[in-house]
Amino acid sequence: MRIVYLNPAGQMGGAETSLVDLLASIREAKPAWRLMLVLGAGGPLVENVEQLGVCCTIVPMPDALAKLGDSGGGRLATALSLARAWLPLMSYTRQLRDAVRQLKPDLIHAAGFKMQIFGARVRPPGVPLIWHIHDYVRRRPLAGRLLRFHRHRCDLAVVNSQSVAADVRALFGGRPEVVPLYNVVDLVRFTPEGTRTDLDAASGLEPAPAGTFRVGLVATFARWKGHETFLRALALLPRQLPVRGYVIGGPIYQTAGSQYSREELERRASELGLQGRIGFTGHLTDVPSAMRALDCVVHASTEPEPFGMVIIEAMACRRAVVAANAGGAVEIFKDGFDALGHPPGDAAALAGQITRLASDAELRNRLARQGRESVQTLFHRRRLAAELVSIYQRDLLATP
Ligand code: GLC
């Protein structure tokens, strides 16, 4: 079996981490299968998959296409960007079609809205196409409309939670079939023991005094990831509590207008009077090491989170987690059992949960221990391989 995977970005966001886990688990379960990845841009993802023996081809997406998205500007701006992207779009379709054809796939598995649309347009006749959808489609008018328009060229949609499944089904209205497939975490990399990043040094801060409780938001700079909520929560914490906050991550995507800049967040932090109590580390590649340096990992997305890789990653590192309880995220933790929840965007509630954890070591350890156990049972690579292989081998996908 020859499978071609398509993905627009080469930077490591949640969808890319999920792709690496997926490739690793299939590689292990089916070593004879030939896995190939076609990317719209280079980046650390290339090395991560080449290490797995997956061969990688980059077909660079022109700027006008890479920047095209649903955020920033209204309908008119979107229409103008689409018009501007038209010629590059046509020539990119041709290039991608050639690249895919040369790889002679038996199956195409496309992630990311842009590659899903392109996948639908370039799939050779008779080659099944799977869309791997990681986000709510109805939240994104342009992407949603384009996916709906092309849905008859896709054989099956795999999604990352029941919650996203409901959203995609509502948009597609029955075809193609939508199958939830939970992400997994690399339990060998994300472990409780191991190196711990010096987060103070990474943020250019003086070392925090002994006994400081370290709490961090680990996320890309997408505007809905809740940086504002996190900063406001830190400002609401009782002054006598020895807490230092860390914003871990950076703006890694190219889509225009969809992300915070670091300057913007730093300005917001100083408006809130957080100087010296907050550090900005920028993007860190060794995420487990950064997580191990924290006492509490915060997930604060203000819109329903489709899945929330960071939640299972932090649990795997045996950290206490506070997560926003909405969307697919509520399917992966049990509030009060293996993590604590807070309503999305509610800075006061988030501050309350951080305070509870900072003041109660017993609670913190219990949640952390249970979190590691939960991911070991539910979110390991062998489970993903078994589910995905059976999806690939379904009659529906058999090449005619
Ligand atoms: C996207 C989603 C995120 C999910 C990831 C992997 O980035 O927004 O919730 O964890 O994909 O499925």
Side-chain angles (χ1 to χ4, degrees), residues 61-71 81 114 254-257:
M61 207 178 264
D63 243 28
L65 273 184
K67 295 215 165 85
L68 196 64
D70 273 305
S71 358
S81 332
K114 286 171 196 161
Q254 283 184 284
T255 322

Side-chain angles (χ1 to χ4, degrees), residues 149-183:
F149 183 76
H150 288 89
R151 71 189 187 286
H152 295 295
R153 302 191 192 186
C154 162
D155 297 278
L156 186 105
V158 166
V159 297
N160 51 2
S161 63
Q162 297 285 351
S163 170
V164 172
D167 180 67
V168 176
R169 283 184 190 123
L171 183 84
F172 288 176
R175 218 205 125 193
E177 188 190 342
V178 179
V179 181
L181 177 75
Y182 287 128
N183 290 308

